[in-house]
Amino acid sequence: MDISIENLTKTYGAQKALDNLSFQVKTGEILGFLGPNGAGKTTTMKAITCYLSPNAGDVKVGGVSVLENPNEVKKNIGYLPEHNPLYLEMGIVDYLKFIGELQGVDKAHLMERVNHMIQICGLSLEKHKKIGELSKGYRQRVGLAQALIHDPEVLVLDEPTTGLDPNQIIEIRELIKQIGKEKTVILSSHILAEVEATCDRVLIINRGKIVADGTAEELRSKAKGNEVLKVGIAGAERNAAFEALKALPDVELVDFAGEGKNLYEVHSAPERSSCQSIFDLCAKNGWFLTQLTPIEKNLEDIFRELTKDN
Amino acid sequence: MKQILILTKKELKGYFDSLMAYILIVVFLGLSGFFTWLYGNGDVFFINRATMQPFFGIAYWTLFLFIPALTMKQIAEEIKTGTIELLLTKPVSDWQIVTAKFLATLSLIAITLALTLPYYITISNIGEIDHGAVITGYLGLLLMSAAYISLGIFASSLTSNQIVAFLLTLIIGIFFQILFGMLSMAFSGFSSDVFAYLDLQSHYSAITRGVIDSKDLIYFASLIFAGLAASELSLIKRNLH
């Protein structure tokens, strides 16, 4: 089920949370939604799930508009809101049954669905407890289970892995990936590694506007610029190696990296690679390389660059 | 309709799971029982007639004080914990949520009142009782409860603080309960008529006396509807800020 966001604008008083935002998500795509705090991630999600109605623009889920037929849209969406609100005084099974009923799961399949959710979200051992007695990680699983209970076509997850331990994070990511094979998933996060690990496509927004859109690789290559290498040289005097590196024609800038060790950060000249000349230099002087690693710009740098000052 | 039923069932179950329902029932039966049978001054034996009037008199005030305690958490807590977002992103409308919460609390009051039927059976065995007045008396209690429940839900939808919701319901409620009646006596002419019409007690006592007038029914119906509509508006206003 496709999602299409069309010229969405939402203002809170004088503040523009979303500014003419438009994008599409295709069926089977996992879209990672990135942005600094207050960029409009949550507001967009609330508009998709019909909790907030936009000042202008429209959201269409599978061709159905949220403005014209919100109930139809809501039926197709599984939503995990930010902070994962739950009825703490309810038991897990009761809660999932309640949400299942609301989502229109028919009576004959309700218990089956509830048990299935308990199983795939890893809640089997806890299922007789009240939600209030669960730890944060387990509550997050309950939140995910309620979002999935009616087998929705679209999954909207607002920071799904906050508060989980590393093992749980990996489990939940795997789960999302698996679900994302057939369904459309939008997930927001401020953990960049997570978006990289789970999502097919990354959307970075800042102040209600899209600032980058593409796969993690695309974004990275776009922001790559000049080659930066981390070079370790042994068998040479520290400053001699430094001077020799600096004298290479392909090298623009050399920096010491790490005190007391023969580690250097070498910035190559634009459009050039200095790998070979560094290797040759070492071979000629009888030094040997302990390290020659390209330093990749990670998503974090791209993110910072894009959302810094505009 | 189905959605309203699912939500009502959940809310009603919530009352019984949280002890709230049992506390209400025990204290209500205790208080109304004491003033109906044992208090002396004004109880059934003091009046020396087979009548439920002492019970309806005391229930009128007991319910007035209890209902805000039942409704205060209804929406306030959902706002505070964020579960309102959870509900509203399911195929449920604002109106359905408000109505379900109203029906759940009204059902709890109805269950509580049903438990006072032994009073009626006992009194009707002691002497000749006006059965019509008893039926309209219960109807009056239900209508009055419904009006305060809808007011309570409205107050609860305005804030995320339960105590504020409780006090607000009592403060607005006391106007309908007694102050409008007093004001109508203090004024004269048109304003006196307006206050007299707004006074809930006069409509209530008309019904408990056994007179069902469409004027009184319209009064209660409009109070209930106004409260629920205002609650819905207050939920929808999240889109305005």
Side-chain angles (χ1 to χ4, degrees):
Chain A
M1 201 165 266
D2 290 9
I3 303 170
S4 105
I5 313 284
E6 296 161 3
N7 309 318
L8 206 61
T9 302
K10 175 81 194 170
T11 52
Y12 296 119
Q15 194 193 4
K16 254 191 178 163
L18 297 179
D19 191 357
N20 209 9
L21 189 76
S22 300
F23 63 90
Q24 262 87 35
V25 195
K26 289 191 285 292
T27 312
E29 197 169 42
I30 305 182
L31 177 78
F33 216 33
L34 281 177
N37 296 331
K41 290 172 291 188
T42 300
T43 308
T44 311
M45 293 191 151
K46 284 180 176 173
I48 297 172
T49 53
C50 313
Y51 181 64
L52 290 180
S53 43
N55 298 77
D58 198 356
V59 177
K60 288 193 173 124
V61 178
V64 182
S65 156
V66 293
L67 300 175
E68 281 155 27
N69 202 344
N71 273 359
E72 204 47 46
V73 171
K74 288 174 184 177
K75 271 182 203 159
N76 287 319
I77 294 183
Y79 177 40
L80 176 65
E82 198 184 15
H83 310 310
N84 187 21
L86 295 164
Y87 292 108
L88 300 182
E89 69 285 351
M90 283 179 101
I92 294 175
V93 176
D94 278 352
Y95 176 68
L96 292 178
K97 266 165 75 182
F98 166 64
I99 299 288
E101 280 179 354
L102 270 187
Q103 287 285 17
V105 177
D106 62 278
K107 274 231 156 59
H109 294 104
L110 187 59
M111 264 332 279
E112 194 187 309
R113 281 300 298 170
V114 168
N115 287 329
H116 184 57
M117 282 303 115
I118 286 176
Q119 198 200 333
I120 66 167
C121 293
L123 289 163
S124 302
L125 291 173
E126 318 284 324
K127 72 173 177 188
H128 298 296
K129 286 190 183 167
K130 284 191 172 176
I131 294 171
E133 295 165 14
L134 299 175
S135 68
K136 197 167 179 192
Y138 278 109
R139 285 185 197 183
Q140 200 71 14
R141 290 170 191 229
V142 177
L144 208 57
Q146 66 82 23
L148 291 168
I149 188 96
H150 57 302
D151 201 18
E153 289 298 314
V154 174
L155 205 55
V156 179
L157 308 170
D158 203 346
E159 308 202 347
T161 55
T162 40
L164 301 182
D165 69 39
N167 289 334
Q168 292 170 329
I169 289 179
I170 289 168
E171 279 173 41
I172 297 282
R173 276 184 201 161
E174 284 306 312
L175 188 64
I176 293 171
K177 267 188 180 172
Q178 214 176 353
I179 296 159
K181 278 177 192 157
E182 302 148 39
K183 321 253 151 155
T184 315
V185 182
I186 299 185
L187 76 86
S188 82
S189 179
H190 52 247
I191 307 166
L192 300 141
E194 172 168 293
V195 171
E196 224 176 337
T198 14
C199 301
D200 308 322
R201 195 175 131 207
V202 182
L203 200 69
I204 303 181
I205 66 168
N206 191 28
R207 306 201 174 181
K209 285 186 169 139
I210 295 176
V211 291
D213 182 1
T215 63
E217 282 76 41
E218 276 170 20
L219 295 189
R220 198 174 292 129
S221 68
K222 218 182 278 179
K224 197 172 245 168
N226 302 344
E227 185 191 59
V228 182
L229 299 167
K230 196 172 191 187
V231 182
I233 294 175
E237 203 267 318
R238 193 166 135 92
N239 284 325
F242 178 79
E243 291 301 330
L245 281 172
K246 221 168 134 183
L248 289 173
D250 296 327
V251 172
E252 195 174 63
L253 195 93
V254 184
D255 229 342
F256 287 108
E259 276 300 307
K261 282 176 257 163
N262 289 1
L263 283 175
Y264 311 92
E265 205 176 281
V266 179
H267 295 251
S268 307
E271 313 284 321
R272 308 271 286 273
S273 170
S274 50
C275 293
Q276 198 186 350
S277 49
I278 292 171
F279 182 80
D280 289 344
L281 174 79
C282 294
K284 201 176 70 193
N285 291 316
W287 304 334
F288 64 94
L289 283 168
T290 55
Q291 220 190 99
L292 184 64
T293 332
I295 300 177
E296 276 206 338
K297 269 209 172 166
N298 54 18
L299 220 46
E300 228 135 315
D301 299 319
I302 303 168
F303 179 83
R304 279 229 301 280
E305 240 165 63
L306 289 169
T307 58
K308 204 164 38 191
D309 38 35
N310 50 338
Chain B
M1 196 61 218
K2 197 178 146 224
Q3 303 297 69
I4 294 180
L5 255 147
I6 296 166
L7 287 167
T8 308
K9 205 176 77 185
K10 184 235 157 210
E11 292 292 330
L12 193 57
K13 194 166 174 295
Y15 276 130
F16 283 94
D17 284 350
S18 69
L19 289 181
M20 199 67 201
Y22 301 103
I23 294 171
L24 167 81
I25 290 170
V26 169
V27 177
F28 179 77
L29 290 181
L31 272 177
S32 63
F34 175 75
F35 284 102
T36 309
W37 302 103
L38 301 172
Y39 181 56
N41 192 4
D43 69 12
V44 176
F45 302 113
F46 178 84
I47 297 174
N48 208 16
R49 260 189 305 128
T51 170
M52 289 280 279
Q53 283 310 322
F55 166 71
F56 291 132
I58 184 66
Y60 178 70
W61 279 96
T62 327
L63 288 176
F64 170 70
L65 293 172
F66 278 169
I67 285 169
L70 291 173
T71 54
M72 66 179 186
K73 69 168 265 191
Q74 289 281 43
I75 295 179
E77 197 180 62
E78 305 250 13
I79 296 173
K80 188 164 193 171
T81 59
T83 46
I84 191 74
E85 186 178 349
L86 194 82
L87 281 186
L88 284 170
T89 51
K90 308 291 174 243
V92 177
S93 66
D94 302 76
W95 176 251
Q96 285 171 327
I97 292 179
V98 169
T99 315
K101 288 184 179 285
F102 169 78
L103 288 178
T105 314
L106 189 61
S107 314
L108 178 60
I109 297 291
I111 292 168
T112 312
L113 289 178
L115 291 172
T116 63
L117 286 177
Y119 298 179
Y120 167 52
I121 295 164
T122 314
I123 294 174
S124 68
N125 277 323
I126 298 174
E128 275 301 304
I129 192 167
D130 180 353
H131 296 288
V134 173
I135 293 167
T136 57
Y138 275 111
L139 179 72
L141 279 181
L142 277 176
L143 284 173
M144 165 257 177
S145 305
Y148 285 130
I149 290 167
S150 105
L151 170 66
I153 289 175
F154 170 58
S156 180
S157 74
L158 290 176
T159 170
S160 60
N161 185 324
Q162 298 190 22
I163 304 296
V164 171
F166 177 78
L167 293 174
L168 201 59
T169 315
L170 277 186
I171 291 165
I172 304 175
I174 198 79
F175 275 90
F176 289 97
Q177 185 81 353
I178 198 162
L179 290 183
F180 283 138
M182 289 177 170
L183 284 170
S184 83
M185 279 185 270
F187 286 86
S188 60
F190 178 69
S191 37
S192 167
D193 292 345
V194 171
F195 286 129
Y197 183 74
L198 285 172
D199 179 31
L200 192 142
Q201 195 160 21
S202 64
H203 296 278
Y204 172 74
S205 46
I207 290 179
T208 45
R209 272 200 311 273
V211 188
I212 296 185
D213 190 340
S214 58
K215 188 182 77 181
D216 302 318
L217 295 182
I218 290 169
Y219 172 82
F220 282 110
S222 23
L223 267 190
I224 295 164
F225 181 76
L228 294 181
S231 317
E232 192 203 11
L233 277 181
S234 134
L235 278 182
I236 290 174
K237 106 173 178 289
R238 68 180 179 273
N239 279 316
L240 297 178
H241 60 114

